[in-house]
Amino acid sequence: MDKIKQLRERKELLKKAGAAVRADIAALTDADSFVELSAFSFSKDAFYGGDAQGEGVVTGFATIGGYPHYIVAQNFEVSFGGLSKANCEKIAKTLNAAEKNSTPVVYLLHSCGVRVGEGVNVLEGISELLLKATQLKGTVLQFAVINGEVYGSSAALASVCDCVFFTEKSALCINSPLVLSAKAGKNLKKEEVGGYAALSRSLLPAVSVKDMKGAASKIAQITDLTGTPVVEAELNAPVPALNKRVDAAALVALLENGIELGANSCHEIKTVLGRIGGIAVAAVVFDEAALKVDSVKKIKNFAEFACCYGLPLVTFVNCNGAEATLETNNSALLKEICEYLAILDNVDVKISVVTGKAIGLGYSLFAAKSAGFDYTYALATAQISLFENAAGAEIEYANEKNADKAKLQAVYADENADPFNAAKNGYLDDIIEPQFIKQYLTASLQTLIG
């Protein structure tokens, strides 16, 4: 028997059984860099018949933008990408290698759920896989590319990832979109149930991209950022336009090569990875937000990302404190605040710039020295106070007979809510002109990182 011929024939069978997913891997990775692992593992598909070539998942390693990554790609052409016990074990094996070699993982997810006929076996496999992926969180980067339809347990794998990429054809649903749509009494397309725009309350670190090449570019950027190389930068680089207008868009633009995560949710809070003066940071930009449970969750998750990968956390604060609604009052806001503070305490480098309002908890959580911020700056036009205005204070003290409204008016007048009062007490490191924000941040980061 010609063993070489036999090997080539078997390789051709594998390629034929995964032509589409291999084309996607080729588009995602650098040319000719992909090396496949465990290619010839297969099991019998009891329901559909025939062999599950490669266990229905292609694994290996490659470079993306010159950086090494492990690749896990679900093959939709084998049992519709269905998860099986052997499938999960093959993926877990790749994750073990990623952990051992401290190398990021990219999942190309495309699955309609579990394979029919697997029974409890696949549930054990899914549990093993999700536990391993969770154990890797904060140790190595994990990216998910929603490479078409992703339903059921595969969706849970995306939730563990540090960044989740969506294209126009992506649909991520914990159940079948047909079932979800029918139960809602609607007739929705799968993208309207599980697409990028549809998942606005999911709080996934989602990023919209055009195609695999777009995902590859972002993956390389994020991998580079979390490596945190310090680049020589020009300190004296003012941005005169900021003296005329300081808004969220202008602040995001300060970050070099910025990538916003989770832009489809909580639009008033922008969580952005980028560089300031060449130094990689995780930045939270407030767009005059009032705190709600989802917004604090989003910030908490992003702070955890910064903590895990050793990134400085920079907050641009324009926050009115907690939203004054019954819905917010009867939510898990206080619990989320507690969890956020526990994570914040473990972030090594923290800098805050009060660019607008820092009212009540807006100051305490995101700018206060007592919360561990190494440097806190404020713009001359900022407002730092317990209440937004005298009217708010009067409402708060309405039940107190001795509340002196005249005194409240004086204490919360505009001139007494400016940042100079906070600076007098030593709570601010400086009050700065808007055009010099980047200059101050660059200098501060360089002193803190060394």
Side-chain angles (χ1 to χ4, degrees):
M1 181 181 291
D2 189 337
K3 294 293 184 181
I4 294 177
K5 181 182 178 182
Q6 186 182 51
L7 175 62
R8 288 173 178 171
E9 289 173 349
R10 287 176 173 172
K11 281 188 173 181
E12 283 304 312
L13 283 174
L14 280 174
K15 288 181 180 178
K16 187 177 179 181
V21 73
R22 291 172 196 281
D24 288 334
I25 292 172
L28 179 78
T29 59
D30 298 338
D32 300 321
S33 69
F34 180 65
V35 177
E36 190 168 355
L37 301 172
S38 302
F40 295 103
S41 60
F42 68 92
S43 57
K44 201 76 175 176
D45 192 310
F47 187 79
Y48 292 102
D51 295 333
Q53 295 283 353
E55 299 303 352
V57 59
V58 179
T59 61
F61 57 85
T63 58
I64 299 175
Y67 294 97
H69 294 78
Y70 280 93
I71 309 295
V72 173
Q74 290 180 317
N75 186 0
F76 197 73
E77 295 171 84
V78 175
S79 303
F80 303 100
L83 289 172
S84 67
K85 179 74 159 58
N87 176 292
C88 292
E89 288 173 348
K90 183 174 177 179
I91 298 172
K93 181 180 177 181
T94 306
L95 299 189
N96 286 329
E99 181 179 36
K100 181 179 179 181
N101 297 305
S102 300
T103 301
V105 181
V106 183
Y107 305 96
L108 274 63
L109 301 182
H110 195 179
S111 171
C112 282
V114 300
R115 289 186 201 165
V116 178
E118 279 275 327
V120 177
N121 286 334
V122 68
L123 299 181
E124 286 285 348
I126 289 168
S127 180
E128 176 189 356
L129 172 57
L130 293 178
L131 178 61
K132 187 63 199 177
T134 303
Q135 289 169 341
L136 285 190
K137 191 170 179 65
T139 303
V140 299
L141 283 166
Q142 295 178 83
F143 302 97
V145 181
I146 308 306
N147 196 27
E149 302 163 80
V150 179
Y151 307 148
S153 299
S154 289
L157 186 57
S159 72
V160 180
C161 293
D162 298 297
C163 188
V164 183
F165 296 97
F166 287 77
T167 67
E168 288 183 357
K169 67 177 183 179
S170 300
L172 179 69
C173 308
I174 196 67
N175 297 107
S176 164
L178 291 175
V179 173
L180 295 173
S181 180
K183 285 196 171 184
K186 298 179 180 180
N187 183 22
L188 300 173
K189 297 178 181 177
K190 61 180 184 291
E191 292 84 1
E192 294 175 309
V193 178
Y196 174 80
L199 297 179
S200 60
R201 296 291 304 277
S202 68
L203 296 180
L204 289 170
V207 174
S208 178
V209 293
K210 183 179 179 181
D211 51 25
M212 281 292 165
K213 291 293 184 187
S217 174
K218 298 296 185 186
I219 288 169
Q221 267 186 271
I222 295 172
T223 302
D224 176 64
L225 286 167
T226 53
T228 325
V230 178
V231 180
E232 289 296 325
E234 175 63 46
L235 283 180
N236 298 311
V239 185
L242 288 176
N243 276 4
K244 297 180 181 178
R245 181 178 177 83
V246 178
D247 58 19
L251 293 169
V252 169
L254 288 177
L255 279 79
E256 305 135 26
N257 300 316
I259 302 172
E260 184 177 355
L261 304 185
N264 62 334
S265 64
C266 301
H267 301 143
E268 71 279 10
I269 306 288
K270 303 187 182 305
T271 48
V272 186
L273 295 175
R275 294 186 185 277
I276 295 176
I279 300 171
V281 301
V284 178
V285 182
F286 291 79
D287 194 2
E288 195 166 351
L291 297 177
K292 297 178 283 190
V293 64
D294 282 355
S295 57
V296 175
K297 278 184 183 178
K298 183 175 181 177
I299 297 168
K300 177 193 74 175
N301 293 343
F302 193 62
E304 185 176 29
F305 181 96
C307 179
C308 288
Y309 298 107
L311 294 175
L313 182 69
V314 179
T315 59
F316 295 97
V317 183
N318 187 4
C319 178
N320 293 318
E323 182 184 58
T325 65
L326 288 172
E327 181 183 5
T328 295
N329 188 63
N330 187 26
S331 73
L333 177 63
L334 297 177
K335 180 175 175 56
E336 291 298 330
I337 286 173
C338 175
E339 292 179 1
Y340 156 77
L341 287 171
I343 291 168
L344 184 70
D345 190 42
N346 289 294
V347 177
D348 287 337
V349 174
K350 299 180 280 285
I351 302 174
S352 179
V353 182
V354 181
T355 59
K357 298 175 181 178
I359 309 299
L361 286 172
Y363 174 81
S364 298
L365 300 178
F366 309 111
K369 287 287 188 183
S370 300
F373 283 88
D374 300 286
Y375 291 108
T376 299
Y377 302 109
L379 303 187
T381 52
Q383 179 185 347
I384 301 174
S385 62
L386 185 58
F387 302 104
E388 187 172 1
N389 49 42
E394 287 179 20
I395 292 171
E396 186 72 16
Y397 291 107
N399 293 326
E400 294 194 18
K401 295 180 180 179
N402 298 324
D404 190 323
K405 291 188 178 182
K407 283 186 178 180
L408 290 175
Q409 288 283 353
V411 169
Y412 291 100
D414 287 345
E415 60 267 24
N416 290 326
D418 65 29
F420 290 94
N421 284 287
K424 282 192 298 185
N425 292 318
Y427 299 135
L428 296 180
D429 292 289
D430 210 342
I431 299 170
I432 61 180
E433 197 176 321
Q435 68 170 327
F436 298 123
I437 291 174
K438 189 169 184 178
Q439 181 179 347
Y440 274 83
L441 288 174
T442 302
S444 302
L445 287 164
Q446 288 190 334
T447 59
L448 291 169
I449 292 174

